[in-house]
Amino acid sequence: MNGYVRRKTPEPVQVIKERRDEALKDLVARVPYIGYMGIDFDRRGDELTALLPYREDLIGNPMLPALHGGALSAFLEVTALITLSWSVFWPKLEDGDKINSSMPRLPRTIDFTVDFLRSGLPRDAYARAQVVRSGRRYASVSVSAWQDNHSRPIVQANGHFLMPAPSEAQ
Amino acid sequence: MSVDRSHIAKNFIDVLPHSRALGMKLEVLEQGKAQIVMPYAEHLIGDPDTGVIHGGAISALMDTCAGAAVMSHPEAGAATATLDLRIDYMRSATPGEAIVAKAECYHVTRNVAFIRATAHDGREDVPVATATGAFTIEGKS
């Protein structure tokens, strides 16, 4: 009888990172619209930052020029949905669930309210979402985007989402 | 005067790069009312399991349509920008069907235009989404 419990050797950090990045990539790659918009996600631990690289066809007002309000709404909605899905998925991933076979269905947007604070300049935009409340059926998510200066957000939004029923999980 | 304004707005829609990229077509534009159709496309899919269009694309359609309705209003200026837009999603759009958005600018003050909009996928009595919003008034002469 030993006086201590034998612990598992921790996994190498590179293995952990690869598993997390792979899972995030799989989650994002399933949605054609995210690929079309060119939206990418940067991960640090469980925190995600979305990136919308500037493209000419994202312009809505060619006179100013300014990014299309609809493109920015879409960017925020994508960021909210992926962040919400990721926040539910993360603990399962860390528990070592078989990820590819149990990729969750995405939550569905119930409503989405966007405030336009400043016009979007013709350059890259970034966004982060915060899951304010996440329950079994409903979730509330807050999200905002900025460009060069994080303290000057260009657009912010709040949305409610319907979580996929457990039986819907694949 | 209102004819001139409609002409401006009509050209303006055609030169909105993002709206053009999503294949939007302006069908109606008159006195504070607009109707725009957006065809179904595979790259707009948001739910890979069902093929349903992403809410973001519908937001872009609603925003464009509401902006067009504002610009066509006889009391609004020649330019506008979205202040806020709230979208409620009633149900999933039917995969394969075009989305038709209708917007109405129902009140204009010196500085703000108020809009409501609905989107459907062929059956007008069961909307896919509804929206309300406020827009700025700019370039008013």
Side-chain angles (χ1 to χ4, degrees), chain A residues 1-7:
Chain A
M1 285 262 287
N2 289 334
Y4 59 91
V5 181
R6 214 171 150 184
R7 287 173 197 276

Side-chain angles (χ1 to χ4, degrees), chain A:
Chain A
M1 285 262 287
N2 289 334
Y4 59 91
V5 181
R6 214 171 150 184
R7 287 173 197 276
K8 263 196 334 196
T9 321
E11 283 180 294
V13 67
Q14 207 47 43
V15 172
I16 298 174
K17 276 189 180 174
E18 271 172 28
R19 183 175 60 231
R20 291 171 178 172
D21 287 337
E22 197 64 30
L24 177 61
K25 214 177 85 188
D26 287 350
L27 181 66
V28 171
R30 290 165 72 229
V31 184
Y33 184 68
I34 300 179
Y36 166 70
M37 291 290 287
I39 299 168
D40 206 1
F41 285 86
D42 182 45
R43 185 192 62 79
R44 294 284 178 266
D46 69 343
E47 186 188 58
L48 301 183
T49 305
L51 163 69
L52 178 70
Y54 173 69
R55 228 168 50 191
E56 245 174 63
D57 67 3
L58 297 176
I59 289 289
N61 183 336
M63 317 289 184
L64 287 175
L67 294 178
H68 195 292
L72 288 172
S73 298
F75 178 45
L76 291 186
E77 195 176 327
V78 163
T79 306
L81 272 165
I82 291 297
T83 304
L84 177 59
S85 212
W86 180 247
S87 75
V88 174
F89 191 40
W90 173 264
K92 293 183 192 159
L93 181 66
E94 294 306 290
D95 279 354
D97 263 17
K98 279 221 166 61
I99 50 168
N100 287 319
S101 57
S102 67
M103 221 23 151
R105 287 203 60 164
L106 289 169
R108 273 156 52 187
T109 313
I110 299 169
D111 62 61
F112 203 65
T113 307
V114 190
D115 289 334
F116 295 88
L117 308 169
R118 296 179 174 87
S119 68
L121 301 168
R123 57 188 77 148
D124 295 358
Y126 315 97
R128 267 185 210 151
Q130 193 201 350
V131 179
V132 180
R133 197 258 177 184
S134 174
R136 205 165 44 83
R137 291 167 71 197
Y138 308 110
S140 182
V141 182
S142 172
V143 54
S144 71
W146 70 96
Q147 290 186 303
D148 300 329
N149 190 340
H150 197 160
S151 64
R152 291 171 64 82
I154 56 167
V155 57
Q156 64 178 20
N158 277 287
H160 292 95
F161 298 88
L162 186 64
M163 303 306 288
S167 59
E168 282 186 276
Q170 295 185 323

Side-chain angles (χ1 to χ4, degrees), chain B residues 23-38:
Chain B
M24 292 181 204
K25 293 271 184 304
L26 185 72
E27 292 186 327
V28 176
L29 188 70
E30 51 174 24
Q31 306 284 312
K33 286 184 182 167
Q35 180 173 319
I36 297 180
V37 63
M38 179 174 74

